[in-house]
Amino acid sequence: MTTPSGTPRLTPLHDVHAALGASFTDFAGWQMPVRYGSETAEHRAVRTRAGLFDLTHMGEIELTGPGAGAALDHALVSRPSAIGVGRARYSMICAEDGGIIDDLVVYRLAEEHYLVVANASNVAVVAPELAARAAGYDVEVRDTSTDWALLAVQGPASAAIVAGLTELDVPSLRYYAIDAGVLAGIDVLLARTGYTGEDGFEVYCRPGDAATVWAALTDAGAERGLVPAGLACRDTLRLEAGMPLYGHELDRETTPFEANLGRVVVLDKPEGFVGDTALARRKEEGPQRVLVGLVAEGRRSPRAGYPVHDPATGAEVGVVTSGAPSPTLERPIAMAYVPPALAAPGTRLAVSLRGTLEAAEVVELPFYARTR
């Protein structure tokens, strides 16, 4: 959201970004760096070395108290009470009809303390919805978004960069795990998570400490090729990794099953959860459309909203949700919703690019997976 005066919100690193020559864009009411020079160069730096992102626009909601786990089990489609302390899990909050309100990462910081990270565009909806669903449980729900800045170091060199700044045991920190400690003299939460398809870390710190942490990571990463990275390359990185984006692949009209994310839905929770009846029915019926990957044969890229056609009949059968030239594959790629009968890899489809049909082939997602 914007400030009461209608002006965009600024992260505590705004002056740092401006000094680096960033171009800015409005994102969910925040003025965020979209690129510092070449988004393709930033993308390739993350794939081969490391990139540093400012993600302070993301929303944080904390639940504390003996009923925190049970409240989240009731509110979300997964079972957060089963998350081990110091671990994290991808989840969703759905409406009664099964539509996705937001996709989330849930961290368990302590036995009775959870940190829920929501998309910037949805935190104003998710926070009060979680509070309402927690009524009757012994838990306090607080939107603590203004208490946190969030930086992300992503790329194959990220572990070496971070390890040089902290006494935390970085090599032993597992994927989707979080630990509290000191980094560059600053109290932080360090999570081995990210949204790029690469190994990487997300650093939660107080907003007043963000510039110190940014500078320390920049200095430590200089000899390893770390570059500042904006939201433009974050979008192509997540697209190559087949990761959905709320407002594109996910929305209130979509359930987790259409998005190939039914694995996060735990339908056998003893106490049930909000949306469980609708989701059970949707699972039994099967989705009417499914998310697929497309690789276009031409040079032009499908973009969000472009119609997808069945070349055998000429009929419009689906819609592109995200699309861009892939810096890694050097081909135009896209994700799209199509009928299940046309979702098998190798299926020939066509995308209407401003009225011209461009041939495309259905492929397995993700388009890119790092070598582990």
Side-chain angles (χ1 to χ4, degrees), residues 83-349:
I83 302 173
V85 172
R87 299 306 305 272
R89 193 166 296 174
Y90 178 77
S91 188
M92 293 182 178
I93 181 169
C94 288
E96 288 281 5
D97 65 1
I100 300 168
I101 296 174
D102 201 10
D103 62 332
L104 314 159
V105 176
V106 182
Y107 296 96
R108 191 169 192 173
L109 302 180
E111 196 64 34
E112 298 179 357
H113 186 185
Y114 292 81
L115 172 66
V116 177
V117 180
N119 284 294
S121 58
N122 288 333
V123 65
V125 174
V126 173
E129 188 65 34
L130 280 178
R133 295 184 184 189
Y137 294 90
D138 188 4
V139 59
E140 181 183 13
V141 182
R142 295 183 301 129
D143 181 352
T144 58
S145 300
T146 58
D147 295 343
W148 295 103
L150 174 57
L151 286 65
V153 189
Q154 299 283 297
S158 58
I161 293 168
V162 171
L165 294 172
T166 180
E167 297 297 320
L168 290 169
D169 187 2
V170 172
S172 297
L173 191 65
R174 297 164 63 188
Y175 187 56
Y176 262 61
I178 189 168
D179 203 357
V182 175
L183 186 145
I186 302 297
D187 290 330
V188 302
L189 296 173
L190 181 67
R192 199 163 199 158
T193 50
Y195 191 54
T196 63
E198 295 298 334
D199 187 18
F201 298 84
E202 295 184 317
V203 184
Y204 295 83
C205 65
R206 298 307 174 194
D209 294 328
T212 299
V213 175
W214 178 279
L217 290 166
T218 298
D219 291 346
E223 66 179 19
R224 298 183 184 276
L226 176 140
V227 301
L231 295 187
C233 82
R234 179 174 151 91
D235 191 51
T236 51
L237 288 159
R238 71 91 193 167
L239 174 59
E240 286 183 351
M243 295 178 172
L245 175 64
Y246 199 89
H248 288 251
E249 285 72 41
L250 310 177
D251 57 30
R252 291 291 293 267
E253 307 305 317
T254 303
T255 76
F257 298 106
E258 282 84 27
N260 294 324
L261 293 168
R263 64 182 182 278
V264 307
V265 181
V266 182
L267 288 170
D268 61 353
K269 286 188 280 188
E271 304 301 326
F273 62 94
V274 178
D276 56 357
T277 301
L279 287 171
R281 183 174 62 250
R282 185 63 62 91
K283 181 181 181 181
E284 182 177 352
E285 293 172 346
Q288 299 298 307
R289 59 191 179 108
V290 293
L291 188 66
V292 300
L294 295 176
V295 174
E297 294 187 353
R299 297 177 61 86
R300 294 193 298 163
S301 293
R303 299 292 184 179
Y306 285 11
V308 178
H309 291 256
D310 180 356
T313 64
E316 183 175 324
V317 293
V319 62
V320 171
T321 53
S322 298
S326 165
T328 303
L329 278 65
E330 298 183 336
R331 299 278 301 276
I333 61 174
M335 289 195 281
Y337 278 106
V338 301
L342 297 174
T347 301
R348 308 291 297 176
L349 295 174

Side-chain angles (χ1 to χ4, degrees), residues 9 11 17 22-40 42-43 46 51-58 119-121 150 152 195-196 202 214 227-239 245 248 324:
R9 299 178 67 180
T11 82
H17 302 316
S23 301
F24 291 92
T25 186
D26 180 274
F27 189 92
W30 291 80
Q31 194 170 25
M32 299 299 297
V34 64
R35 66 181 65 81
Y36 299 83
S38 163
E39 61 201 64
T40 301
E42 293 166 22
H43 180 113
V46 174
L52 179 58
F53 298 84
D54 177 5
L55 305 178
T56 302
H57 60 308
M58 301 294 285
N119 284 294
S121 58
L150 174 57
Y195 191 54
T196 63
E202 295 184 317
W214 178 279
V227 301
L231 295 187
C233 82
R234 179 174 151 91
D235 191 51
T236 51
L237 288 159
R238 71 91 193 167
L239 174 59
L245 175 64
H248 288 251

